[in-house]
Amino acid sequence: MSRVVVIGSGLAGLVAANRLADGGADVVLLSKGIGGLQLGQGTVDVLGYTPERVTNPIKAVTKVDKGHPYAAIGAQGVLTALSYLKELVPDLLVGDPEANYHLPTAVGALRPTCLAQPSMLAGNLKAGSAVVVVGLRRLKDFQPELVAGNLARTELPDGGRVSARAINVDAVAREGEIDSSGLVFANAFDDPAFRARFAAMLAPQLNDGEIVALPAVIGLKDRQAHQDLSTQLGHPIFEIPLPPPSVAGLRLNQALNARAQAAGVRMVSGVRTVGFTADGDRIRSVRNATVPAEREYRADAFVLATGGFEAGALSMDSYGTVTETLFGLPLVGAENTPLIHGDYWGGEQPIFRVGVAVDPQMRVLGNGQPVYANLRAAGDLIAGSSRWSEKSGDGIAAASAVLAADSILKEL
Amino acid sequence: MATDGLEFAGHSLSRASLDACVKCTICETQCPVAAVTPLFSGPKYVGPQAERFRNGESVDHSLDYCSSCGTCTLVCPQGVQIAELNSQARAVMKADHMPLRDKLIGQTVLMGKVMTPVAPIAKAALNNKPIRKVMEAVVKVHEDAPMPPPQSQTFEGWFRKRPTPAGPFPRGPVVFFHGCAGGYFEVETSKKSVEVLEYLGYQVIVPKQGCCGLAQQSNGLFKGATKDVLKLCDDLRSAGKDLTIVSSSGSCTGMLKHEAHEIMGVEDERLKDVGTRIVDMMEFLLDLHEAGELPTDFAPIGMKVPYHAPCQLKSQGIGKPALEVLRLIPDLEVVDSGAVCCGIAGTYGLKKEKYEVAQAVGKPLFDMVKATSSELALCDTETCRWQIQKSSGVRTEHPIYLIHRAYGLS
Ligand SMILES: Cc1cc2nc3c(=O)[nH]c(=O)nc-3n(C[C@H](O)[C@H](O)[C@H](O)COP(=O)(O)OP(=O)(O)OC[C@H]3O[C@@H](n4cnc5c(N)ncnc54)[C@H](O)[C@@H]3O)c2cc1C
Ligand code: SF4
Ligand code: SF4
Ligand code: SF4
């Protein structure tokens, strides 16, 4: 069996590892820590703003500029990845690649996203709906007055508005704690008895026909928790993702990790990959900084899914020089000056577009040629997109991972 | 020269890592203790945040609820040495008022030596409720805490008394390290490891060996632990230079590989030498397999067993080698527990005030074990095995058991 090493366990690394294992490769997944999934919303953004608000993400993908990751990935690459993601976690992600949902955020704005969790879907609101935003007194990361106020004054993508009001429930997630984290609440909501108590406190405060908005803490393990709560309340409910610790993101991270493990992926976590050996134009092995002696991992092919600046895959020194920290790969976009401008509220920071250039097989390019024949990149490391403002990071990560994996599988 | 443990604790490299914390909360979501009790405010608060306010003694006494399982350090994407910071701060906090109990259960060799010859009596005593009640009251070890199974023969006794194996040993010599538990309580694990190594063609050398000091270290007794770990390095080095040291005691291996250095700041050539030569038993077998040198003519074992990778193995950064090796046995279905921690974390779960917390930490694991098999569970470290077996009621052994069996040795 051929060995493939994937480095990084964010969305890109996890998708690549699953895909490779499904295709019959012997996969080792190396990562120095948990990736970005549980810092996000637990949804899959494909393209949200170009900068106009996007309603059909696949159509928008075909129109990106040359140099954008989606130019190399293509619409078909995104479609394959989205259907693969839905296959990987069938009870967790649903959606139509041709139509973005517009889901309320924890500040009450509407955010375009492509795949979402079933527990969030009732948040794709119609004009004229009545929403009641329910806060938990002991959860400080969700302020229902803020959400309801902003939601009520937001025009929906198709025109029209909703009405929204805020209420609070003082449910005790854990005795002895007046300030519980979202995770503590999620664990409590996994318990049917807690859900029943909560429903009994909330139901009398609801008006007929209202849609109930709740922070995304309605269970971590129990995938039916939101359905059960909705039935008990007799109202549709939807979850609004929170800042980290994001329970919605945790669900996705756990599900993709469990799936990889079930597919036979060997995981080595907690150690940074710090070096490599190459034979001409092929990477032969990478080295982990295992204490006290480094360990070597040989493979036939490698997927570099180490993320961007936040994950330490890219770094900038005090002279403003940006480097890719593992292989020293050539970067594009780094020649722009200034990489960071001083106007906090001003336009986009050019530094976000720095990364590696790739061909349609996701091989890393230097001077238009693959730098190493058996090295592919996936995820944040790929140059040319300001993911947070475009809402494109998840789609790029998943699609580049699938393309990298598929082209490796073809070669093995 | 070994640095003084407590001084090191205040001015360590770990402390320098705290500025890398971006407050992402990833560690908070994985800490098994914070998940089950409001008494512990979690790794981010107790580690990089509280550390900023420490000048000598800790301002936050919930620190003592950290079990030192190391999970937070493992998952932190920014390289913050959270668990190490906690262990160091605890050592400072306890410097002046260490409970007698923590001193006692740090002394693993002593406990083993005392208990071995009188094993049947010790066993009776440890299983005896009134005596345990007295223990709980006097030394504050919880009356239901798991206790090591005392044996009537030590590993050393067996190794020296058995007929000398004739060989040949085409693969040459290796040194075997069993740790105190493997010497006094987990005698079967040590025997089976030696027999597998010999079956593979290695000549097994077992030097006289003391304790690695892990139990003292995790209770904040850095001075004694440093002395012990260096003494052990001398013991192991006496068996021969450059030889691979194979260990069936997952937690002690971690102490030698990185904890003595990273937590207590031991800078010593002897430790570096032993640390780079020591490998976990299952890691050793996996490395052989990767090199194409492991015979895989395993007899089928038609069984479904739960496997739990202990924290102290996970923090060695080698993945879960036992899973990979056990997968080579035909018909054997090994199910990874996926659980973070069994709760015992060395000696943490023995303590009266921590017992309930430790049981809650381990509950998802115990439930998983019971749901997977009523016959057998597997885990690489001793205290975790005692904990899993005691709390799930399912017999729990080192993975070498099934390797031994699949090679037809039992
Ligand atoms: C502030 C902000 C807001 C964002 N908002 C959005 C949004 O609204 N919508 C959207 O779609 N995207 C958004 N993004 C982008 C999105 O977060 C990323 O595109 C996505 O998470 C990338 O996943 P990844 O797998 O490439 O990287 P990551 O999730 O960062 O994973 C990188 C992995 O590599 C590992 N790693 C790194 N270096 C090494 C090494 N040397 N050795 C071993 N392992 C290593 C890390 O530990 C980690 O496991 C945002 C990003 C930021 C910073
Ligand atoms: S995981 Fe690391 S960076 Fe994140 S909060 Fe914890 S210590 Fe800080
Ligand atoms: S410092 Fe920057 S990245 Fe961190 S939370 Fe604030 S704005 Fe976000
Ligand atoms: S070492 Fe374990 S118990 Fe202590 S803070 Fe870290 S994860 Fe929690």
Side-chain angles (χ1 to χ4, degrees):
Chain A
M1 210 185 336
S2 297
R3 162 69 55 89
V4 184
V5 163
V6 178
I7 311 159
S9 66
L11 179 60
L14 287 168
V15 169
N18 273 293
R19 185 85 172 175
L20 285 160
D22 288 354
D26 167 16
V27 186
V28 181
L29 179 60
L30 307 176
S31 71
K32 71 177 160 87
I34 290 180
L37 272 172
Q38 58 183 54
L39 312 178
Q41 293 87 353
T43 57
V44 178
D45 298 352
V46 170
L47 197 49
Y49 296 97
T50 61
E52 293 73 38
R53 185 176 0 222
V54 172
T55 48
N56 180 335
I58 285 296
K59 209 160 118 201
V61 161
T62 61
K63 296 192 179 140
V64 296
D65 294 338
K66 193 167 156 263
H68 190 282
Y70 281 140
I73 289 168
Q76 190 51 53
V78 177
L79 286 170
T80 310
L82 293 178
S83 61
Y84 183 58
L85 268 176
K86 288 198 265 184
E87 222 176 274
L88 281 179
V89 286
D91 54 352
L92 214 47
L93 290 176
V94 290
D96 174 1
E98 307 261 358
N100 271 336
Y101 296 113
H102 291 88
L103 302 176
T105 69
V107 294
L110 290 183
R111 189 177 64 88
T113 190
C114 185
L115 304 185
Q117 301 189 6
S119 55
M120 301 170 182
L121 298 185
N124 199 43
L125 298 163
K126 302 250 169 331
S129 308
V131 179
V132 54
V133 184
V134 181
L136 302 165
R137 281 239 183 269
R138 294 174 192 228
L139 178 67
K140 66 180 180 309
D141 290 342
F142 187 78
Q143 299 301 325
E145 294 80 6
L146 175 71
V147 179
N150 280 339
L151 203 54
R153 61 191 188 86
T154 299
E155 186 168 324
L156 299 182
D158 299 332
R161 287 177 197 246
V162 299
S163 66
R165 68 182 181 105
I167 57 176
N168 280 287
V169 173
D170 191 11
V172 182
R174 188 152 79 174
E175 284 303 335
E177 213 171 41
I178 50 166
D179 173 10
S180 300
S181 75
L183 186 58
V184 170
F185 271 102
N187 289 330
F189 272 106
D190 272 338
D191 175 8
F194 179 83
R195 290 203 294 268
R197 280 203 304 280
F198 180 76
M201 290 167 87
L202 176 56
Q205 302 190 56
L206 302 178
N207 299 332
D208 277 355
E210 274 182 328
I211 302 173
V212 181
L214 287 156
V217 298
I218 313 302
L220 178 59
K221 297 205 178 71
D222 183 352
R223 296 270 184 272
Q224 301 310 318
H226 70 278
Q227 195 51 55
D228 173 51
L229 183 60
S230 172
T231 309
Q232 292 197 44
L233 292 171
H235 285 252
I237 68 172
F238 69 92
E239 287 188 307
I240 297 179
L242 298 187
S246 159
V247 171
L250 257 160
R251 289 178 195 141
L252 204 49
N253 190 52
Q254 288 184 353
L256 288 171
N257 270 287
R259 173 61 173 66
Q261 193 156 52
V265 172
R266 177 172 154 203
M267 310 210 186
V268 179
S269 324
V271 190
R272 195 180 169 92
T273 307
V274 289
F276 69 104
T277 58
D279 239 347
D281 76 337
R282 296 185 74 80
I283 306 281
R284 200 171 43 176
S285 68
V286 290
R287 284 194 317 275
N288 263 11
T290 316
V291 179
E294 291 186 349
R295 284 185 75 86
E296 196 179 21
Y297 295 85
R298 285 173 177 250
D300 304 296
F302 297 82
V303 179
L304 189 61
T306 43
F309 285 98
E310 307 79 16
L314 297 176
S315 123
M316 182 163 73
D317 68 16
S318 55
Y319 298 98
T321 311
V322 182
T323 45
E324 185 279 311
T325 52
L326 180 47
F327 293 96
L329 295 170
L331 299 174
V332 298
E335 62 291 345
N336 295 337
T337 45
L339 279 173
I340 302 173
H341 60 66
D343 182 4
Y344 187 86
W345 297 109
E348 182 195 306
Q349 301 281 5
I351 196 166
F352 284 121
R353 292 190 183 258
V354 177
V356 299
V358 290
D359 69 6
Q361 295 187 19
M362 303 299 120
R363 285 180 303 200
V364 179
L365 299 177
N367 293 322
Q369 293 298 313
V371 184
Y372 296 103
N374 60 345
L375 177 66
R376 268 106 177 147
D380 258 14
L381 192 60
I382 299 174
S385 145
S386 190
R387 290 151 168 91
W388 65 273
S389 58
E390 296 175 358
K391 307 279 168 237
S392 61
D394 306 317
I396 295 169
S400 56
V402 167
L403 288 172
D406 287 356
S407 70
I408 288 171
L409 289 168
K410 236 177 249 155
E411 270 175 18
L412 292 180
Chain B
M1 252 303 288
T3 339
D4 175 74
L6 292 178
E7 196 174 287
F8 167 81
H11 305 93
S12 66
L13 274 177
S14 323
R15 183 151 189 170
S17 75
L18 75 86
D19 280 339
C21 174
V22 296
K23 315 293 173 210
C24 69
T25 72
I26 280 179
C27 55
E28 299 279 310
T29 65
Q30 306 297 312
C31 172
V33 173
V36 298
T37 173
L39 294 172
F40 183 56
S41 46
K44 177 171 69 103
Y45 294 97
V46 172
Q49 270 166 220
E51 182 66 22
R52 289 187 193 282
F53 299 99
R54 287 184 194 129
N55 181 12
E57 187 162 350
S58 186
V59 291
D60 171 16
H61 285 246
S62 86
L63 166 66
D64 196 37
Y65 276 91
C66 162
S67 76
S68 301
C69 71
T71 307
C72 46
T73 297
L74 201 64
V75 298
C76 171
Q78 306 299 341
V80 182
Q81 299 207 301
I82 316 157
E84 290 78 358
L85 284 171
N86 291 356
S87 296
Q88 291 155 359
R90 180 173 34 235
V92 174
M93 183 170 95
K94 288 203 175 173
D96 295 323
H97 28 74
M98 170 75 61
L100 170 66
R101 184 265 332 268
D102 290 4
K103 287 186 191 165
L104 277 182
I105 52 188
Q107 303 282 335
T108 2
V109 176
L110 197 69
M111 193 150 129
K113 277 194 181 145
V114 169
M115 275 166 58
T116 306
V118 286
I121 306 169
K123 193 170 186 133
L126 291 175
N127 287 334
N128 177 305
K129 275 270 164 184
I131 295 184
R132 293 295 297 272
K133 279 256 183 241
V134 173
M135 265 175 78
E136 173 169 335
V138 178
V139 287
K140 300 201 170 59
V141 169
H142 195 277
E143 59 166 317
D144 291 324
M147 276 291 144
Q151 308 283 328
S152 42
Q153 187 184 31
T154 65
F155 167 73
E156 219 186 317
W158 169 81
F159 190 77
R160 308 254 176 264
K161 277 190 200 119
R162 69 180 187 150
T164 316
F169 301 111
R171 298 201 195 214
V174 288
V175 178
F176 179 65
F177 169 64
H178 49 68
C180 322
Y184 299 109
F185 310 123
E186 290 282 312
V187 177
E188 274 306 306
T189 302
S190 306
K191 282 189 200 168
K192 289 190 156 65
S193 302
V194 167
E195 283 168 2
V196 166
L197 289 169
E198 286 173 347
Y199 171 81
L200 292 174
Y202 291 99
Q203 182 190 8
V204 180
I205 306 172
V206 183
K208 209 168 165 52
Q209 45 192 272
C211 178
C212 71
L214 173 61
Q216 295 190 71
Q217 182 264 101
S218 71
N219 283 291
L221 294 155
F222 285 7
K223 267 211 174 97
T226 303
K227 202 172 123 232
D228 279 2
V229 77
L230 290 175
K231 163 84 173 51
L232 173 62
C233 289
D234 290 337
D235 294 346
L236 292 172
R237 281 157 57 95
S238 72
K241 266 222 228 72
D242 302 328
L243 295 179
T244 301
I245 305 167
V246 183
S247 159
S248 57
S249 176
S251 43
C252 311
T253 315
M255 177 74 171
L256 286 161
K257 277 184 174 175
H258 66 114
E259 290 189 3
H261 173 66
E262 289 181 337
I263 296 178
M264 305 193 302
V266 180
E267 288 287 354
D268 196 292
E269 280 311 312
R270 293 169 287 171
L271 176 67
K272 215 181 257 170
D273 173 43
V274 169
T276 43
R277 285 197 279 137
I278 194 163
V279 287
D280 172 75
M281 182 75 208
M282 303 310 281
E283 179 189 14
F284 183 69
L285 297 181
L286 182 59
D287 283 351
L288 281 181
H289 180 60
E290 296 264 296
E293 291 169 12
L294 186 75
T296 51
D297 53 341
F298 292 115
I301 299 181
M303 218 175 164
K304 183 175 173 184
V305 280
Y307 165 74
H308 176 67
C311 312
Q312 254 143 345
L313 185 93
K314 286 185 275 199
S315 30
Q316 291 172 36
I318 53 174
K320 300 174 182 175
L323 269 185
E324 314 303 322
V325 179
L326 291 167
R327 277 197 187 125
L328 302 170
I329 300 177
D331 297 347
L332 181 66
E333 190 192 341
V334 186
V335 190
D336 189 332
S337 74
V340 178
C341 182
C342 71
I344 194 84
T347 56
Y348 181 88
L350 302 174
K351 301 172 186 176
K352 189 180 165 193
E353 75 281 10
K354 314 274 170 46
Y355 178 79
E356 299 295 338
V357 174
Q359 287 297 312
V361 165
K363 184 161 186 306
L365 171 62
F366 310 145
D367 291 347
M368 179 277 170
V369 164
K370 281 186 275 191
T372 313
S373 168
S374 54
E375 230 181 308
L376 182 67
L378 301 174
C379 175
D380 309 76
T381 52
E382 309 76 9
T383 43
C384 309
R385 288 198 289 274
W386 305 336
Q387 169 89 338
I388 298 170
Q389 177 161 318
K390 175 93 205 286
S391 300
S392 70
V394 179
R395 185 175 153 209
T396 308
E397 302 289 2
H398 191 283
I400 199 70
Y401 262 68
L402 292 189
I403 302 293
H404 192 266
R405 197 198 294 180
Y407 274 142
L409 301 172
S410 53

